[in-house]
Amino acid sequence: MKSRFFFAVLLFTLLFTVQIVAKDTWVNVRSKNFFLIGNASEKDIRGVATKLEQFRETFRLLFPKVNFSQSIQTNVVVFKNSSSYKPFKPKRADGKPDDGIVGYFQSGEDVNYITISMDGEKKDTYETIFHEYVHFMVNTNFGRSEIPPWFNEGLAEYYSTFSIEDNQKIILGDIQSNHLNLLQQNQLIPLKTFFEIDNYSLHQNGNHSRSIFYAQAWALIHYLIQGNKGANNEGMNKFLALIINKVEPEKAFQQAFQYDYATMEKALKNYVSQSKYQISIITFTKKLLFDAEMTTVLMSESEANAYLGDLLYHTGEQEDAEVYLTKALALDANSVVANTSLGLVKNKQRKFTEAKKYLETAIAKDPKNHFTQYNYAYILSRESMDEFGYVRKYPTEAATKIRELLNQAISLKPDFTESYRLLAFVNFVNNENLDESLALLKKGLTYQSGNEQYQFLIARIYMRQEKFAEAKQLAESLIKNTAEPDMRSNAQNLLKAIAQNEEIKAANERNRKDYEKKMQEIGQNGEVIIVRNKLEKPLTEAEWAKINAENENNEVNRGIERPKAGEAQVVGFIEKITCVKGVINYTVKVGAGTLNLTGKDFTSLKMINFATETENAQVGCGTDLKNMLTVLTYLENKNVKIKSNGTLTAIYFVPKTFKLKTPEEFAKMQNIKVVNEIETSPEVIAVENAEFEKGRNEAMMQGIREALRKPEAGEKREIGIVEKIECSGNAVFFLVKFETESLKLKAKSPQDVKFNTFTPDIGGMQIGCGTKFPPIPAIVTYRPKDKAGEIVAVEFVPKSFKLEN
C-alpha cells in the first residue's frame, strides 16, 4: 500500500551539520505561478516548474467557469538528491528521517512550500504534492468549510495521479489500487451517512474509518467522471456552482449528476466491484509549454541559506531555522528574506526587541516588500499581547504604527489578505472603525473564500454591533463545517456569548422602558427642577462640579427601585459568582463584612447599568465584577439554618462615587435636569485599568488551575521545563528539568501522553521523537518509579503560573 502524508506542520530535527556544500550551485527559477530554488540542475528545476504549471493549467482548463486566484505565493525547493534533502525530511515514529519520502506540500497563511528530491523520482513522487495543491486551490477559492469533504477529498485523490505526455496529452483517473482493494474488502459507507460527514467529524474518526472515507470519495468522483456516461467535468462544474450559490448539498448533487442517493449508492457498489476501469485521456489543441516564461538566476550561498531557514521556520522548526538564518546573515547582513524570517523566529521566542530590529533592517533594504511591512505590524501586534495571548487595547502609538504598516502592505499587494485580517483585528480590539473592519474582512474573503479565521472575526464584530442574527449564522456554520477542534470550541463559546448578549439586551431594554416611565411620572409630579435658571450669580468650577456630582447621584437614586416588603438593599462589590448544581452563588463584600446570596438563573434577574465605566458589564458564571460598585436588592432569608442571607432579585451597577439615599433623604431629594459629565482623571483610569488587569489575570490563572488534569492515585505533578523527547529502540523518554532535579520520564509513545497548552507561546508544535521544546513551563504529571517514572501528561502554562497542589 502506498504511504500518504498530509502535512499541516512537519516535525523533524536536523541530524547533520547545517552547511551549504561549496560545490553546490543554487539556482532560482521563477515561473508564472511558482518560485523555485534548488541545488539540482537548472534543467531539472525547470522541469519541476513545467510539471507544476501544467498541472495547475490543466485543473484550470477543466473548470473554466471557476476563477482560480492565488493570493499566497508557493515556493518550491528542489534538492538534487536524497542526501541534501535528508535534513528537511519528516521523521518516522522512531525519530529517524523517512527515506521513503521524496516530496511534500506544506501550506501556510503567508506562503506555501513544496519540497522535492530529484533522486529516485518515480510515478507517485508528485501524488501528495498534486493532492495537497488541489486542496489549496479549492480551499482558497471556495473555502474548506463551503465544500463537502467527500467532494474535496475525492477530487484531490482523483487529480493526484495526473500525468502528461508530449506536453499535450493529459492522463487522469489512473486506478488507485490501495483504495480499490480497501473498498472491495469492506462495506461501503451508506451514502446518506457518507454525505453527512463534515470536516470536523471526519478528522475525529479512527484511521480505518477515515481511510474508507477517502477511498470511497475517490471512487465516487472517479465514477462520476469516468463511469458516468464517459469522461467529462460538466457535472463537477455544475455541482460547484450550485454549492457556491448555497444550494442544499443533496439537491445540488441531484441537479448536477441526475442521481438520487439510492440510485447512486447502487451504481457505486457495482462500479467498485468490477475488474476493469477506464482512464481519461485529454489532448489539448496546444501544447502546455511554459519554459519561455521562466527566468533563471544564480543564487548566493546566503540566499540559499535564507530560503532553507525560511522553509524550516514554516515547518515549525524554529531552532534549526535560526541556525540557517544566522549563517545567511553572516554572509549577507542585508538579506531581506533572512532578516524577515529571523525576526519571525525571535517573535516566536517573545524576544520582541530583537525581532523588530531584524524587520526594520528588512524594510530599510526593501521598502516595497509587502511581506516585511505586514510582519513588522504582526510583531507589534504580538508585543502588546500578554502571556495568555490577550490584548485589552492597543496603545495609540502602537495602533497608529500598525495601521500605517498594514495600509502600506495592502497598497503594495492588495491580494495578500492577512493584512486585511490583522488591520480588522486591531480595530476590533480598540473598538474602532468596525464597519471598515467588516469591509476589510469581506474583501479578504473575495480572495480566500470561506477562510474560517476571517468568518470568526466577522461574527465577533457582528455581536459587538448587536447584529445577533448575522453573528449566530456564522458561528453555527463554523461549528458545523470546521475541521479544527479549537475553531469549533471558539465558535461554540461565541454562540453562547451571542445568546447571553441577546438576553442582556432584551432585559436592559425592558428596564430602560421602566426607568423612562418612572422619570416621566417624576416630571409630571413637578419634582424636576432646572438649577441653571435659578442661579443669581455664576458658580465657580468647583461648585458646578459638586452640583453635577450630586445630580448624578440623585439620578441614579431615582432609577433604583426601593425594596419591597421582605426585601433588603445594600451597596457592595460582587467578589465572586459560582454556579454549582443549578444554584448560583454570589459572594458580596459590604463594608468590612461579607454577604452570601443565591439565585436560580440570570434571565429573571433585574439588571440596570448607571455607570459609564461598566457599560459593557455582563453577569454570568465566573464573571469578574469585584471592581464594580453595585446596589443589590434581595429577598431576605429568615431561616438561620440556611447559610444564604437571601435570594438576589436585582443588580444596579453604579458609579464608584455613588451614595444610596436613606428613605428620608430620598423624600427630600431634588432632581437636577441639567448635568455636566465629569471626566475621570488619567490617574484614576490608570489605577482602575491596573485593577482590572490584575483581576482578569487572577481569573485566567484560576481557570487554568481548574482545567488542568487532576492527578490520580499514585501520580505526582510538578511544574518544570520539558526539554526534549528522545527515542531509543522501543523506548520513548521525556527529559524534564524540575526546580530540584532533572528526570528522564518514560512513555510507550508520544501519543500516549496527554498534551495541553494554556499559552500561545508554545505555538502549534507537533509532537514526536526528537522534539525540542522551547523553555516554556509545563505542569508534568507522572508516576514516580525509582529515580525516574512514567510520564502521564504535559500541560504548558504561562511563565507566571504558580501551581497550587
Side-chain angles (χ1 to χ4, degrees), residues 364-376:
K365 296 303 174 185
D366 187 3
K368 298 298 183 183
N369 187 319
H370 76 282
F371 196 52
T372 57
Q373 303 276 348
Y374 162 77
N375 278 300
Y376 193 21

Side-chain angles (χ1 to χ4, degrees), residues 692-757:
F692 174 85
E693 293 299 331
K694 181 181 178 181
R696 187 189 64 80
N697 287 348
E698 288 175 353
M700 294 287 284
M701 291 298 186
Q702 185 57 36
I704 292 174
R705 293 187 186 97
E706 293 174 358
L708 287 172
R709 180 187 180 277
K710 303 298 184 290
E712 299 176 359
E715 294 179 351
K716 183 179 181 180
R717 70 176 182 182
E718 296 182 69
I719 191 164
I721 300 294
V722 182
E723 295 180 327
K724 62 179 179 178
I725 301 175
E726 291 182 348
C727 298
S728 177
N730 294 324
V732 178
F733 297 97
F734 286 69
L735 276 61
V736 186
K737 185 177 181 180
F738 295 111
E739 185 177 357
T740 59
E741 63 180 341
S742 294
L743 294 180
K744 196 173 183 179
L745 301 174
K746 188 176 181 180
K748 292 181 181 179
S749 77
Q751 289 71 35
D752 289 333
V753 180
K754 174 182 173 61
F755 285 91
N756 210 343
T757 179

Side-chain angles (χ1 to χ4, degrees), residues 99-113:
D99 290 331
I101 296 296
V102 291
Y104 64 80
F105 182 100
Q106 165 70 54
S107 63
E109 293 180 345
D110 52 1
V111 65
N112 300 321
Y113 267 100

Side-chain angles (χ1 to χ4, degrees), residues 197-215:
I197 293 176
D198 56 33
N199 286 301
Y200 180 79
S201 58
L202 171 62
H203 290 83
Q204 299 306 304
N205 290 331
N207 290 335
H208 181 67
S209 298
R210 200 157 55 240
S211 296
I212 292 176
F213 179 89
Y214 290 134

Side-chain angles (χ1 to χ4, degrees), residues 105-141:
F105 182 100
Q106 165 70 54
S107 63
E109 293 180 345
D110 52 1
V111 65
N112 300 321
Y113 267 100
I114 292 173
T115 66
I116 192 167
S117 172
M118 302 309 300
D119 191 13
E121 184 178 356
K122 50 188 178 181
K123 181 182 178 182
D124 62 353
T125 297
Y126 286 88
E127 281 194 12
T128 297
I129 294 171
F130 289 156
H131 176 106
E132 295 300 325
Y133 194 72
V134 169
H135 281 327
F136 165 63
M137 291 193 290
V138 170
N139 295 345
T140 297
N141 290 277

Side-chain angles (χ1 to χ4, degrees), residues 512-528 555 558 671:
R512 183 188 64 79
K513 289 181 179 179
D514 289 344
Y515 173 74
E516 289 178 350
K517 182 179 179 182
K518 289 177 182 177
M519 293 306 297
Q520 185 177 15
E521 292 172 354
I522 290 172
Q524 292 172 351
N525 293 333
E527 295 181 26
V528 176
E555 289 285 356
R558 288 193 181 277
N671 187 51

